Amino acid sequence: MAAVFLAFALIFTGCQKKTTQAPQAAQSSEKITKIGLVTDVGGVNDQSFNQSAWEGLQRLRTETGANVSYIESKDESNYTPNIDTFVDQKSDLIWGVGFMLGDAFAQAGKDYPNQQFAIVDYAYAASDVPNKNVTGIVFSAEECSFLVGYIAGKVTKTGKVGHVNGISSPTMETFAVGYYAGVLTANPNAQIMGQYSGSFGDPAAGKNIANQYFAAGADIVYHAAGGTGAGVIEAAREQNKWAIGVDMDQNYIAPNNVLTSALKRVDNALYDVSDSLRKGTYVPGSTLLYNLKNNGVGYATTGNHIPADVIRDVEAIKAKIISGEQKVPATAAEINALFPGKYNLPAVN
């Protein structure tokens, strides 16, 4: 996958800003590569994207002998010191997980022009990181969220479903918009309850919000909230309702109550990019997109909870998304144009 992704630097604006120059491949050769991972506030055991990132590096260590380690960030003030620690340790590549580290990694790229960095869920313009030493990894989260939303719309028996998001941002908006669009495509009359929890590391908040939804008649709740989502799954288990996981297959947390999960293959991204550095094919400063077309996102069927006819429908619509026949909205403006009055989360600038 890395060879394919690294051949194409893509263009983004805003949080997905333009990358206009084709960078030169970094000089390296196959060797024991030293990789450092700075987690977001959810921590490495968040059962979500931080954990998935660490699993990717653990696989790299197992298969290639790479020297991998992580430092957990307890709050935003830890980002820069944690980055500095890995620079002092002479890491070959330093990873950040999550858009919240975007500013810290941009500054680190300027402060350490000879150090290679990479970050999940963020991308930079050349003006942001003039040294071209920070690689951005982005995912079409709206696509996998659309698929699990479509499943929720087909499976719900009450016609009411919920969504718990993390911290308001353009990246997180894509999760919500994709989910709403999927639900409404499958079930135009469905009622969707949604809100931002304001955190990626507060399971109690996630549980409280999910319980409110269940009390209001929802029978399925999708979370895109990192560690906060653990509370959503716990609420579903206690109430014997359905939860939908995110980032990694979360069925193992509550096998009888996780309907599906929106898969974001953060593990594959970290493995692919880190291994390219070891092989000498790494292209610094590029922006790499993982989507349905290249199997960078998807949905889980673990537990066999999704009816066979629904899976057939989902696979058909997945093929249409890949071909471009089915358009998936990614912003509040786009979904409001498709389903006026249905999206109830505040737009993100």
Side-chain angles (χ1 to χ4, degrees):
M1 287 175 64
V4 175
F5 298 142
L6 297 175
F8 299 97
L10 302 177
I11 296 176
F12 296 86
T13 58
C15 186
Q16 298 172 320
K17 299 177 181 178
K18 290 186 178 179
T19 301
T20 56
Q21 298 178 355
Q24 299 297 313
Q27 297 299 312
S28 182
S29 58
E30 292 198 22
K31 59 185 178 66
I32 301 300
T33 306
K34 190 171 186 179
I35 309 290
L37 173 69
V38 178
T39 77
D40 202 345
V41 295
V44 77
N45 293 314
D46 66 351
Q47 300 175 320
S48 189
F49 67 115
N50 285 286
Q51 183 171 325
S52 180
W54 178 233
E55 288 179 357
L57 291 186
Q58 288 178 295
R59 178 158 58 94
L60 183 76
R61 177 175 60 194
T62 299
E63 296 183 7
T64 73
N67 180 344
V68 302
S69 59
Y70 67 85
I71 304 176
E72 293 186 306
S73 302
K74 300 304 181 184
D75 56 54
E76 294 181 27
S77 67
N78 295 153
Y79 297 157
T80 296
N82 290 346
I83 292 169
D84 292 342
T85 296
F86 280 129
V87 172
D88 292 341
Q89 292 177 1
K90 302 188 184 305
S91 300
D92 295 303
L93 179 63
I94 301 172
W95 280 96
V97 186
F99 68 91
M100 292 177 64
L101 287 86
D103 291 342
F105 267 68
Q107 187 60 51
K110 297 172 184 177
D111 293 342
Y112 304 107
N114 297 319
Q115 173 68 55
Q116 292 301 324
F117 301 93
I119 182 171
V120 173
D121 285 341
Y122 214 92
Y124 303 92
S127 58
D128 295 322
V129 188
N131 305 305
K132 300 284 287 177
N133 60 334
V134 187
T135 295
I137 311 296
V138 293
F139 295 82
S140 294
E142 69 277 8
E143 294 182 350
C144 54
S145 294
F146 183 97
L147 296 182
V148 299
Y150 189 90
I151 292 168
K154 288 291 187 181
V155 171
T156 178
K157 302 216 182 310
T158 65
K160 297 179 180 180
V161 300
H163 175 54
V164 179
N165 214 325
I167 294 174
S168 177
S169 74
T171 298
M172 298 314 299
E173 185 173 75
T174 64
F175 284 94
V177 167
Y179 178 68
Y180 274 66
V183 171
L184 294 169
T185 298
N187 187 345
N189 295 318
Q191 179 182 340
I192 308 172
M193 295 167 265
Q195 71 179 83
Y196 287 101
S197 66
S199 174
F200 290 116
D202 190 349
K207 184 174 182 179
N208 181 55
I209 296 169
N211 278 331
Q212 291 178 37
Y213 293 162
F214 291 139
D219 56 354
I220 303 171
V221 177
Y222 170 46
H223 86 86
T228 299
V232 173
I233 296 174
E234 178 64 12
R237 187 188 65 78
E238 291 180 355
Q239 299 281 345
N240 196 28
K241 305 291 185 180
W242 289 119
I244 295 178
V246 77
D247 293 332
M248 58 191 301
D249 186 348
Q250 295 186 313
N251 178 266
Y252 74 96
I253 301 173
N256 295 322
N257 298 96
V258 175
L259 176 64
T260 181
S261 298
L263 302 180
K264 208 170 86 171
R265 298 308 304 267
V266 177
D267 56 335
N268 284 349
L270 267 76
Y271 181 96
D272 293 342
V273 175
S274 300
D275 196 41
S276 73
L277 182 71
R278 182 184 69 89
K279 293 177 177 177
T281 58
Y282 177 70
V283 181
S286 56
T287 299
L288 309 180
L289 174 66
Y290 286 70
N291 56 19
L292 282 177
K293 185 174 289 188
N294 54 36
N295 295 314
V297 299
Y299 71 102
T301 59
T302 306
N304 297 316
H305 299 310
I306 309 169
D309 61 327
V310 174
I311 289 181
R312 285 195 298 271
D313 289 346
V314 173
E315 287 298 311
I317 208 162
K318 175 182 172 181
K320 290 180 179 180
I321 294 172
I322 291 172
S323 71
E325 182 180 351
Q326 174 71 49
K327 302 298 182 184
V328 178
T331 66
E334 290 173 348
I335 191 168
N336 284 328
L338 289 173
F339 300 100
K342 294 289 189 176
Y343 186 71
N344 52 20
L345 291 179
V348 177
N349 295 324

